[in-house]
Amino acid sequence: MSLIPIRTLQKPKNYVNSAEVKNDAKFRAILAPIVYLLVDFGNDPVNTICDILPKAAYAIDSGIVNTRINNVIDKFTMVSIAHVDLTTAGIYQILSDKLLTPYEVTLPEEDFTALIKALAGCGKAVSKPSVQRGQRMRVGIESDRAKAVVVLMSWILDEAAHNRALVNSLLDKVTDNIFLKAAVKIALMASVTFIPRRVIFLIVSVLITLASVFFPLFNLKF
């Protein structure tokens, strides 16, 4: 019986040089958080949005987004790209030109600014591990998702009350559900009535329950 010779194990060749390893690490630091964010959004969209909003609002309110994006634009030496205004006022102007004015949506700039500041306050600064060379820790924002939900829903109700005609028009286009229509219209009263919001929300909850029982999937027309 002949024995099969055992070949000497060799270390695999390193086909990647040190420069490519460094570049790979840079791209991982940029792309990995984006991919993880997309996965989280697919698995749990509501909690993911409520986690992102305070961080995004803080970055906008503090001017970090505006500064960093324009710094990146300045690095494009071969192509001339104009700076963009990503401050709170600049973003409001973009929304106004592209969305609010064309669809006749009423949203005062001071209301938008108040929302950004309120959402920015739905979190606290914490120290987190850093992947940056020579820096072991970095400052991050830990979101209070419950507070973000309250701030966002209250703001939506207030602004919807200023755009009753638009909300009612959209509601008529997407559903025939009488209970859901009643729930939305009563919810809009939360900003303009003396009735406590907790009472209004209780009535809305009952109507939404009836809507789901008598009209499967709310009978949406999408």
Side-chain angles (χ1 to χ4, degrees):
M1 180 177 180
S2 60
L3 298 176
I4 300 176
I6 300 176
R7 296 180 180 178
T8 304
L9 296 177
Q10 297 180 350
K11 293 183 179 180
K13 292 183 178 180
N14 184 5
Y15 292 101
V16 183
N17 60 39
S18 59
E20 289 174 333
V21 170
K22 292 178 182 177
N23 288 333
D24 182 56
K26 292 178 182 177
F27 278 108
R28 282 203 311 270
I30 297 172
L31 295 178
I34 297 175
V35 174
Y36 293 151
L37 176 61
L38 293 176
V39 172
D40 290 342
F41 183 79
N43 293 332
D44 193 353
V46 174
N47 278 327
T48 302
I49 290 174
C50 291
D51 182 56
I52 294 173
L53 284 177
K55 297 175 181 177
Y58 179 87
I60 293 171
D61 185 54
S62 62
I64 293 175
V65 168
N66 185 63
T67 301
R68 292 189 177 180
I69 294 297
N70 285 303
N71 285 344
V72 171
I73 289 176
D74 289 337
K75 295 183 184 297
F76 288 97
T77 55
M78 298 182 65
V79 181
S80 178
I81 303 177
H83 278 200
V84 291
D85 186 357
L86 295 177
T87 60
T88 303
I91 292 175
Y92 174 80
Q93 190 59 52
I94 294 172
L95 288 174
S96 180
D97 294 341
K98 303 297 183 182
L99 183 63
L100 304 181
T101 301
Y103 293 98
E104 299 181 350
V105 177
T106 300
L107 175 58
E109 183 174 354
E110 56 268 24
D111 288 2
F112 179 75
T113 301
L115 171 67
I116 295 299
K117 290 188 176 297
L119 285 174
C122 295
K124 60 181 179 180
V126 294
S127 296
K128 295 184 177 182
S130 172
V131 296
Q132 185 174 344
R133 180 181 298 174
Q135 182 175 334
R136 296 182 58 188
M137 304 299 292
R138 64 181 177 84
V139 176
I141 301 299
E142 187 176 276
S143 301
D144 187 332
R145 293 181 297 192
K147 187 184 294 185
V149 169
V150 173
V151 168
L152 185 61
M153 293 306 297
S154 296
W155 182 82
I156 289 175
L157 284 175
D158 290 340
E159 298 309 320
H162 298 155
N163 295 272
R164 286 174 176 270
L166 178 61
V167 172
N168 290 330
S169 175
L170 292 174
L171 201 59
D172 289 335
K173 291 179 180 179
V174 300
T175 184
D176 292 325
N177 190 322
I178 57 175
F179 293 110
L180 183 59
K181 288 183 177 181
V184 173
K185 291 180 180 181
I186 291 176
L188 296 183
M189 296 170 54
S191 301
V192 295
T193 182
F194 63 90
I195 303 175
R197 284 194 172 187
R198 61 174 63 91
V199 176
I200 291 178
F201 291 158
L202 176 61
I203 297 173
V204 169
S205 300
V206 172
L207 288 171
I208 290 179
T209 301
L210 293 174
S212 63
V213 171
F214 293 101
F215 293 83
L217 296 179
F218 294 149
N219 194 27
L220 296 181
K221 300 177 183 178
F222 295 118

